[in-house]
Amino acid sequence: IEGMHCGACATGIQMLVSQMDGVSNISVDYDKKSGDLEFDETKVKKEDIFKGIAELGYTAKDYSPSTNLLSPSWDNRGI
């Protein structure tokens, strides 16, 4: 996740995304500039999650689509 400047940035992303319907778990690590995310693709699309993060001023990208992990980015189970 690009654009974070402090731990409060990570907290803000977590708060926003955790409130989205279909998101069951999110953890954002400021130091690693990454996160882990679990969500139900039938309720929320990855693109909508990325859009929400972008509206906060950050950039999320897929990190490891093969394992559904989202680090410097994300997928069904990771940022």
Side-chain angles (χ1 to χ4, degrees), residues 4-24:
M4 293 191 293
H5 303 288
C6 63
C9 296
T11 300
I13 293 169
Q14 284 183 183
M15 289 176 63
L16 171 81
V17 176
S18 68
Q19 294 176 14
M20 293 181 166
D21 186 39
V23 173
S24 56

Side-chain angles (χ1 to χ4, degrees), residues 57-73:
Y58 311 105
T59 304
K61 300 176 188 168
D62 285 325
Y63 178 68
S64 180
S66 61
T67 60
N68 285 339
L69 291 178
L70 230 125
S71 219
S73 265

